[in-house]
Amino acid sequence: MQDEIAADAAGWMNAATDIAWDRAPTQALRLRPDGLADWFPDGRLNVCANALDRHVDAGRGDEVALIWDSPVTGTVARISFATLRDRVARFAGGLRALGLCSGDRVLISMPPVPEAVIAMLAAARLGAVHVVVFTGHGPGELAARIDDTTPTLVVSASCGYSGARPVSCLPAMHEALATATHRPAAWVLLDRTAGGQRPAPRLPGVTVTDFRDAEAAAPADPVMMPATAPLYVLHSSGTTGHPKGVVRDCGGYAVAMQRSMRLVYGMSPGDVFCTTADLGWVVGHSYAVYGPLIAGCATVLYEGGMTGTPDAGALWRLCADHAVDVLFTSPSALRAIRAVDPAATLASSHDLARLRAVFVAGERADRSIVDWAERAARVPVHDHWWQTETGWCIAGPRDVAEPSRRRIFAMPGFGLRCMDENGREQQAGEPGELVLRLPLPPGCLIGLWRDRTRMEALYLEKYPGCFRTFDYGGVGVAGDVTLLSRVDDVIKVAGRLVATGTIEDVLAAHPDVAECAVFAVDDALRGQRPIAHVVPNEGLDPLRLETLRVDLIESVRVSMGAFCGLRQIVFRAALPRTRSGKVLRRRATPDMTRLHDDVISQQ
Ligand code: AMP
């Protein structure tokens, strides 16, 4: 294992030479007592300077850095590296004038607009720590994040859009600021209302400053930070209890972002990368902002929906209009498009000649959706696996240029192991919990915000020397990784463990199924049994539902065996989802077969 770590260290030291350092590191890593690593411990750099200034200094200032495509406001903007650097430097000057210093936190809750990226990079420029919060969060969740990270400033916008409908963001932030125990000194507000009339949300002790006034300040130079200093805190998507703030460092993250753009996505400077993820989630941080910009690529920021702005061809139009090289989206986004446009006719009306590959992550991508997306996009569609905690991909395809082989492998630096319930390593191909041997590679979390005890108890204690992913799956003889479900979603039917994802795969293969989720219900005889929630394709004749039910139950019986005991299928118009768009998985009880109002029919 020591050899494995030493080989990784040499590789990462080599990768670090692609980053602009104020003081180059002489050491790849220093092991910490908890088993994690401080990466590049004696290096100093500024992450914003790596994302912007160095490209301008290299003569690439006129090249496009950020493409903002907002069908909901009817706007397309192309911002060059030089313009973005200047706007970020001025906004950083404005934040400094409002009292923001290196090490302070700034909480940002904004829709996908260029100003959100500017605010993130301006914080990084000053060596401050940004805490980006998804705009869909309510006042309680916002207040919890304000109290957790005690920001000096908050930055928000007057409104965002849900589909094509404007939604005011003011009440949630106002209530959060009024109810949080901690009170930031200033609220920087981007006013998006036509005519520029600024609403005046008064709060004692909080100065309200217009975003554009803050941006009129004198530019601030990048503040050089230790590589191990925190760059941002990103809270997990959980909606209850004390939020879990994943902390990312400056040096390790910058190196991981730069390297992963080439290694995972095959991107070169000047290429165009597009992700549909919100800035409030990990993919938004890593691959709408830092990854592409650090690697000198252009990034597409999309403010629109998948099917209603104006139709289910929006994603393909986005790729065609901006000559996107690689698209990163979620299986759910593709399923939403397929449900409306199963024959992918809208995709065929766009010129996708530049598109090289599509990547999906965030949840299980069943074979049928990957096949459909490959037919629609006419390029390989690669699944890859990662988490907020890891910041980048744990396992993905070996060669992005190759046709998708539906197999993923651990990325360099991720020592993947599969454990049984008692902490023994599983044989190749046997299912168990997937864990990562310590230390984690650069780019992963360096801790939970001000909560070392929770970090150790949650991730490090159960399997000594390893980091828990809480994902259940297997590693094959060839090192290929299979993901079956979250460990909490493994059910025990008549003494046998069944990953709900395996049943979902069988159901999803049916051509009339748009999406599905399988839950466990308690069963007096068998301990637990599965129940499936199925969303049929749009327009399916309701008279076909009965036949579909029989077909689905039979196909699970044939493919998995009778022991699996799937007898109950609930047809629904939509699946319950978390704020981040993942299927909400909670244990169902026998009387919970009607979880929501949109049940189409049930047995
Ligand atoms: P989050 O941290 O909210 O981005 O969620 C991370 C979780 O999403 C992982 O731990 C997995 O359970 C799931 N996930 C991410 N990518 C994949 C994938 N390619 N296949 C299956 N599940 C995935």
Side-chain angles (χ1 to χ4, degrees):
M1 189 167 104
Q2 288 309 320
D3 292 351
E4 219 178 305
I5 296 173
D8 283 351
W12 288 113
M13 226 17 208
N14 191 27
T17 57
D18 290 334
I19 285 297
W21 300 91
D22 176 52
R23 186 174 65 216
T26 60
Q27 191 187 354
L29 78 164
R30 185 173 55 212
L31 284 176
R32 298 188 337 202
D34 62 7
L36 293 167
D38 287 330
W39 283 96
F40 314 111
D42 59 349
R44 271 161 56 99
L45 78 165
N46 181 278
V47 177
C48 171
N50 271 278
L52 301 175
D53 301 58
R54 67 163 167 159
H55 305 308
V56 179
D57 297 344
R60 301 187 50 228
D62 291 339
E63 291 181 28
V64 174
L66 177 66
I67 301 166
W68 181 46
D69 188 305
S70 169
V72 292
T73 58
T75 322
V76 174
R78 290 185 176 76
I79 305 176
S80 68
F81 278 102
T83 304
L84 191 58
R85 194 271 310 263
D86 293 348
R87 289 191 66 186
V88 167
R90 284 199 304 273
F91 191 64
L95 294 185
R96 178 180 283 163
L98 288 167
L100 192 72
C101 298
S102 66
D104 289 350
R105 275 77 55 213
V106 48
L107 184 134
I108 302 167
S109 180
M110 297 183 94
V113 292
E115 287 79 2
V117 178
I118 289 171
M120 291 167 76
L121 292 171
R125 194 169 189 84
L126 296 178
V129 179
H130 60 67
V131 184
V132 179
V133 181
F134 174 55
T135 44
H137 278 318
E141 288 138 352
L142 267 169
R145 284 151 179 79
I146 291 173
D147 282 336
D148 189 41
T149 53
T150 58
T152 306
L153 310 171
V154 299
V155 184
S156 80
S158 58
C159 80
Y161 287 81
S162 169
R165 187 172 51 90
V167 181
S168 174
C169 303
L170 288 173
M173 183 58 89
H174 190 267
E175 193 181 326
L177 289 168
T179 53
T181 311
H182 171 79
R183 182 147 291 186
W187 177 3
V188 182
L189 187 58
L190 175 72
D191 185 7
R192 303 186 78 195
T193 48
Q197 96 234 31
R198 183 187 334 153
R202 260 161 284 164
L203 277 164
V206 182
T207 316
V208 180
T209 300
D210 190 276
F211 193 104
R212 293 183 183 88
D213 292 343
E215 211 188 309
D221 284 336
V223 175
M224 296 302 156
M225 299 297 291
T228 52
L231 173 69
Y232 66 76
V233 176
L234 176 58
H235 291 96
S236 60
S237 56
T239 51
T240 51
H242 181 61
K244 210 168 54 190
V246 162
V247 185
R248 209 83 70 198
D249 62 353
C250 291
Y253 188 61
V255 172
M257 288 300 98
Q258 165 90 30
R259 188 175 188 206
S260 64
M261 284 300 286
R262 175 148 265 312
L263 185 75
V264 182
Y265 305 106
M267 300 293 284
S268 303
D271 286 349
V272 182
F273 197 82
C274 175
T275 169
T276 55
D278 190 274
L279 291 171
W281 309 126
V282 60
V283 180
H285 280 61
S286 290
Y287 295 109
V289 181
Y290 289 107
L293 295 178
I294 289 175
C297 301
T299 179
V300 179
L301 194 62
Y302 177 58
E303 187 178 30
M306 286 299 133
T307 55
T309 55
D311 56 29
L315 190 62
W316 316 122
R317 195 261 317 145
L318 197 65
C319 293
D321 283 2
H322 305 303
V324 168
D325 290 277
V326 171
L327 169 71
F328 182 163
T329 189
S330 67
S332 280
L334 295 172
R335 285 188 198 111
I337 298 170
R338 180 182 63 176
V340 180
D341 183 20
T345 15
L346 292 164
S348 55
S349 64
H350 291 283
D351 176 6
L352 300 177
R354 176 84 183 253
L355 193 64
R356 297 200 300 262
V358 176
F359 281 77
V360 290
E363 57 191 323
R364 282 169 57 77
D366 57 90
R367 209 181 180 111
S368 78
I369 194 62
V370 174
D371 287 346
W372 177 86
E374 276 187 346
R375 281 196 305 277
R378 291 131 19 223
V379 291
V381 174
H382 299 290
D383 188 13
H384 66 331
W385 167 48
W386 53 304
Q387 314 185 303
T388 303
E389 286 82 348
T390 62
W392 64 289
C393 159
I394 306 166
R398 278 215 170 119
D399 187 348
V400 48
E402 281 197 355
S404 164
R405 296 193 193 288
R406 309 288 196 269
R407 299 216 300 176
I408 59 172
F409 300 88
M411 288 290 130
F414 284 105
L416 194 59
R417 314 266 188 271
C418 183
M419 302 294 198
D420 73 9
E421 277 170 291
N422 304 312
R424 276 188 301 264
E425 201 167 337
Q426 288 284 40
Q427 303 283 343
E430 290 295 316
E433 177 166 352
L434 297 169
V435 302
L436 305 169
R437 71 120 175 88
L438 297 173
L440 297 174
C444 297
L445 81 173
I446 56 166
L448 292 181
W449 181 251
R450 292 190 175 156
D451 209 344
R452 189 166 283 275
T453 320
R454 192 173 177 205
M455 165 84 192
E456 291 183 7
L458 193 59
Y459 296 108
L460 307 176
E461 265 169 19
K462 180 159 182 192
Y463 302 103
C466 294
F467 178 88
R468 294 190 74 175
T469 68
F470 295 93
D471 281 330
Y472 185 81
V475 182
V477 187
D480 49 312
V481 182
T482 307
L483 285 154
L484 295 168
S485 63
R486 294 290 286 170
V487 280
D488 287 350
D489 298 326
V490 177
I491 66 178
K492 211 168 206 172
V493 185
R496 288 172 71 171
L497 292 178
V498 181
T500 48
T502 322
I503 308 176
E504 287 169 10
D505 274 355
V506 179
L507 300 173
H510 195 289
D512 291 338
V513 171
E515 56 180 353
C516 61
V518 172
F519 307 83
V521 282
D522 295 333
D523 184 279
L525 215 59
R526 300 153 155 257
Q528 289 183 315
R529 67 184 162 79
I531 166 175
H533 286 206
V534 171
V535 179
N537 277 334
E538 237 179 68
L540 186 77
D541 182 349
L543 296 174
R544 286 249 328 125
L545 288 179
E546 216 28 64
T547 325
L548 179 58
R549 183 195 318 280
V550 173
D551 283 359
L552 292 175
I553 289 174
E554 180 60 8
S555 54
V556 170
R557 197 189 61 77
V558 168
S559 119
M560 302 199 50
F563 86 94
C564 171
L566 177 72
R567 295 195 302 272
Q568 199 166 14
I569 295 200
V570 182
F571 289 113
R572 330 171 38 113
L575 295 177
R577 291 194 184 277
T578 64
R579 290 261 159 76
S580 64
K582 292 181 199 283
V583 172
L584 184 61
R585 292 172 185 283
R586 58 182 164 204
R587 299 252 161 201
T589 52
D591 59 335
M592 275 175 66
T593 49
R594 288 184 74 95
L595 281 175
H596 290 257
D597 300 328
D598 65 350
V599 172
I600 302 173
S601 109
Q602 66 171 57
Q603 189 176 10

